Amino acid sequence: MSRLITSGHLPAGARLPTVRVVAGSLGVSPTTVSEAWRNLILAGAIQTRGRSGTYVSGPLPPRARLRYAQLSGARVDLPQDLSTGVPDPLLLPDLTAALRRIGDGRWAGSYLDAPVLPDLEALLRERWPYPPEKLTVVDGAMDALDRVAGAVLRYGDHVLVENPAFPPLLDLLQALGATVIGVPMDSAGIVPDALRQAIRDYRAVALFLQPRAHNPTGTSMDASRAALLANVLLDAPHLLVVEDDHAGGIATAPPVSLGRYLPERTVHVAGFSKSHGPDLRLAAVGGPAHVLDALADRRLLGPGWSSRLLQGVLLDLLTDPQAVARVAAARDAYAARRTALVKALHDRDVTATAADGINLWMAVPDQQNAMVALAAHGVAAAPGAPFCVTPLGSDHLRITAGLVADGYDELADVLAVATVPNIRRRTP
């Protein structure tokens, strides 16, 4: 329905059939149609006019439909911007020495060289959480997810994701025409019973998840949970697992992968943006040959390879003792910042989680009221709604705790204001 509206086949002002009529013509439950209509209403694509029926509002500007744009819209000129989800630049390793050591770049080779520096590939394979059949390097974690999704998904495919999930991933899957199904999480990751039920209800072709430092909740999957999920996935031999280990070296939890149990069905993405620098634009992708070969073959028709100069910088940073120590110090600093802010919030009876990574997930009574309250105190936060495939039990905000180096009690006082219900008194 969204595509019909966007393409103009359903023009603005067109009246839609009733829920019951649509359900009958498609052979689905009226509840299913009602849920679809609700999502279209939330997206602004359709509107209800009471007994007059439901009408097309008209196509929204493409960017306005994106969840990612809703996050960007939250960024205003405030003294303390904690909406970004980016690493602290002061904790990133210095690239100066690495750039000096790799020389002027003429060694980088020609169009015919291997797309991945051999020494870098060897090092990545040593560090991979399971032996990957094939491995390559692409331009960042989102580029990896985009290329993997493009290689394995077709319009209308059902895809399972964590709920909540990273908004750009949800935008990507929607752009490909996939039907996204959110699977509930707990403090150890995806809930096994919920995954089992989703597999029974939908013939999903892929499961996308973040095994460590989940954005936005900070959850990291442990080894026992990975084993349970792998056992559940035995009932879906057709399903591909795609793991986005975006936090990389700044994650406190050890690397865990379903590929340890399902190597022939697991694609693992190792990101370096948050640990070594967003502008490196590099991530490694490893997994079964049928996926990686399709990705590499399609990439030959575009960029061909990721800059070997940047690969040389990354290789240097991964092996230079000072750079390695700098990343380890950043990991410890982020952990200390998360711990301090969460403790200060819990002391004020605020529900918040930040087990790993750089983000904190805070429950609030009303998202919009909370953001306005924080803005009044000079603090910007990211709204939780764009992360949610389906609504959670309460509204949330995502706070970039990794950018908070001090003043935890003062910030916690401000954040606590956002958790106070907005009580409107009726006029007598």
Side-chain angles (χ1 to χ4, degrees):
M1 186 65 70
S2 176
R3 286 179 176 270
L4 289 174
I5 295 172
T6 303
S7 65
H9 285 85
L10 282 176
R15 183 175 181 176
L16 300 181
T18 66
V19 168
R20 196 167 297 278
V21 168
V22 174
S25 64
L26 297 179
V28 299
S29 165
T31 303
T32 301
V33 179
S34 294
E35 179 67 14
W37 259 227
R38 189 187 69 82
N39 288 332
L40 290 172
I41 291 171
L42 290 174
I46 65 175
Q47 56 182 309
T48 59
R49 301 178 186 172
R51 294 184 179 180
S52 297
T54 304
Y55 294 81
V56 176
S57 301
L60 296 173
R63 181 170 175 79
R65 292 200 311 270
L66 296 176
R67 293 169 181 262
Y68 185 71
Q70 298 174 41
L71 293 182
S72 301
R75 295 171 197 166
V76 293
D77 188 15
L78 292 174
Q80 193 167 17
D81 188 355
L82 303 180
S83 70
T84 58
V86 300
D88 186 343
L90 298 178
L91 296 181
L92 294 172
D94 187 354
L95 304 185
T96 305
L99 290 169
R100 186 182 300 116
R101 281 191 289 267
I102 67 170
D104 62 11
R106 284 178 290 184
W107 61 272
S110 73
Y111 296 101
L112 304 179
D113 288 353
V116 183
L117 294 180
D119 289 346
L120 178 59
E121 179 173 355
L123 180 63
L124 291 171
R125 285 184 173 275
E126 288 178 9
R127 301 183 175 196
W128 217 250
Y130 64 96
E133 190 174 7
K134 288 289 184 71
L135 186 146
T136 192
V137 172
V138 296
D139 300 335
M142 278 307 302
D143 183 47
L145 298 178
D146 183 15
R147 294 185 180 280
V148 172
V152 302
L153 298 183
R154 299 295 178 264
Y155 181 79
D157 282 344
H158 285 80
V159 177
L160 305 181
V161 300
E162 298 151 319
N163 189 34
F166 189 44
L169 171 63
L170 300 179
D171 287 334
L172 168 64
L173 296 175
Q174 181 179 359
L176 292 173
T179 300
V180 180
I181 309 299
V183 184
M185 300 177 64
D186 61 16
S187 60
I190 288 179
V191 177
D193 287 342
L195 177 62
R196 181 178 291 106
Q197 189 61 50
I199 289 173
R200 291 172 179 171
D201 292 343
Y202 308 95
R203 185 175 171 80
V205 301
L207 165 66
F208 285 75
L209 74 157
Q210 293 183 331
R212 292 195 296 175
H214 174 261
N215 187 355
T217 66
T219 299
S220 290
M221 179 173 62
D222 58 23
S224 60
R225 177 58 57 88
L228 289 173
L229 295 179
N231 186 62
V232 171
L233 290 169
L234 292 177
D235 294 333
H238 56 278
L239 188 147
L240 180 73
V241 177
V242 183
E243 299 175 333
D244 174 20
D245 189 15
H246 66 107
I250 63 167
T252 303
V256 173
S257 173
L258 295 177
R260 176 182 175 186
Y261 308 95
L262 305 169
E264 74 288 352
R265 295 167 47 194
T266 302
V267 174
H268 187 82
V269 178
F272 300 96
S273 292
K274 291 185 177 63
S275 56
H276 293 79
D279 207 43
L280 281 176
R281 308 308 306 141
L282 292 178
V285 191
H290 72 275
V291 177
L292 270 294
D293 285 344
L295 184 156
D297 290 346
R298 177 63 184 86
R299 201 163 187 245
L300 288 175
L301 304 179
W305 70 90
S306 295
S307 167
R308 298 187 188 95
L309 288 172
L310 294 180
Q311 291 186 46
V313 172
L314 177 61
L315 176 60
D316 186 275
L317 294 175
L318 293 175
T319 54
D320 174 61
Q322 289 187 345
V324 172
R326 185 66 179 268
V327 173
R331 179 173 59 247
D332 293 341
Y334 286 131
R337 294 177 183 186
R338 293 193 313 267
T339 300
L341 187 53
V342 169
K343 181 182 183 304
L345 288 172
H346 287 178
D347 289 344
R348 290 155 177 81
D349 296 323
V350 175
T351 301
T353 61
D356 206 344
I358 62 176
N359 297 304
L360 180 146
W361 189 237
M362 185 177 77
V364 295
D366 182 271
Q367 168 187 286
Q368 197 60 37
N369 288 339
M371 292 180 65
V372 171
L374 291 183
H377 289 80
V379 176
F387 295 86
C388 299
V389 182
T390 54
L392 302 176
S394 67
D395 284 4
H396 290 78
L397 297 182
R398 188 194 67 178
I399 310 294
T400 309
L403 295 178
V404 184
D406 52 30
Y408 301 106
D409 286 325
E410 293 81 2
L411 178 59
D413 286 338
V414 173
L415 295 177
V417 172
T419 67
V420 177
N422 184 27
I423 301 174
R424 298 179 179 179
R425 296 181 179 179
R426 295 182 179 179
T427 303

